[in-house]
Amino acid sequence: MRIDIVTLFPEMFEGFLNYSIPHRAQTKGRAEVVLHNLRDYSLRKNRSVDDYPYGGGAGMVIGVEPIANCIEHLERERRYAEKVFVTPDAPVLDQPTANRLSLCDNLLIFCGHYKGIDERARQLFFTQEISIGDYVLSGGELAAAVLTDAVLRLLPGVLNDETSALSDSFQDGLLTPPIYTRPEEFRGHRVPEVLLSGHDGKIRQWRYEQAVEKTRRLKPELLAGMEE
Ligand code: 6GU
């Protein structure tokens, strides 16, 4: 898949995209992530993209013209399955949304900054809006990075063990059970005996019970839909 990210701060993505799973998705040829600087689409001499809000108030607003210019330019090259605006006043990203977006060929993610973007741009140029949680960040860049990571790790062939995305928390509607590695005992705290038993059936049953118990304790809302 190809992900085009539009931002005023493309450098913010360089570190994240060059490590770990997001890096592997690209070097394995499963994904291409292309950064675009919104300023390159400014029609002004000083490359500015923002202005004062009509009606007054604090903060600057990114104008509709550079956004239109940028997205129309990118759309001349390819069709996007979704054009996502990341913003805190939107539905919160969840695993089903990440799963669905991972099936798209071309994805566009637009990062706002300052007070936000002109409402007309939201209406005219995006097919979906996504937040990453109910708190405010300084800009959309970290949210776009979170969304990109959540999507890239789902692409086939990116994770070593093909089943390991399937065993993530949320993929079966449950949190993951506790996991352990050596040593068997640390300062008197032992690894649960069942995990050392070599008995696959018992281990599977224990992990399922632990997942249900942990979900009930930490995220009971995930169980609400499953109990009918
Ligand atoms: Cl997408 N943007 C900003 N600026 N803050 C956020 C967010 C997005 N999601 C949660 N907080």
Side-chain angles (χ1 to χ4, degrees), residues 85-88 112 130-141 143-144:
F85 176 48
V86 285
T87 179
I130 294 177
S131 166
I132 62 160
D134 293 336
Y135 43 82
V136 177
L137 303 169
S138 307
E141 284 73 17

Side-chain angles (χ1 to χ4, degrees), residues 96-151:
T97 302
N99 292 351
R100 186 174 57 74
L101 293 176
S102 77
L103 300 174
C104 297
D105 275 346
N106 299 311
L107 212 56
L108 183 145
I109 304 176
F110 186 96
C111 306
H113 223 91
Y114 312 121
K115 255 304 171 212
I117 71 173
D118 190 291
E119 183 65 23
R120 292 165 294 183
R122 293 176 72 152
Q123 304 290 334
L124 293 171
F125 297 111
F126 300 102
T127 58
Q128 186 164 19
E129 298 188 331
I130 294 177
S131 166
I132 62 160
D134 293 336
Y135 43 82
V136 177
L137 303 169
S138 307
E141 284 73 17
L142 289 173
V146 165
L147 175 59
T148 300
D149 186 302
V151 168

Side-chain angles (χ1 to χ4, degrees), residues 1 31 38 71-73 85 95 97 114 134 189-190 203:
M1 89 185 295
L38 184 64
I71 293 183
E72 283 167 357
H73 175 88
F85 176 48
Q95 194 61 52
T97 302
Y114 312 121
D134 293 336
H189 300 269
R190 286 193 56 75
I203 293 171

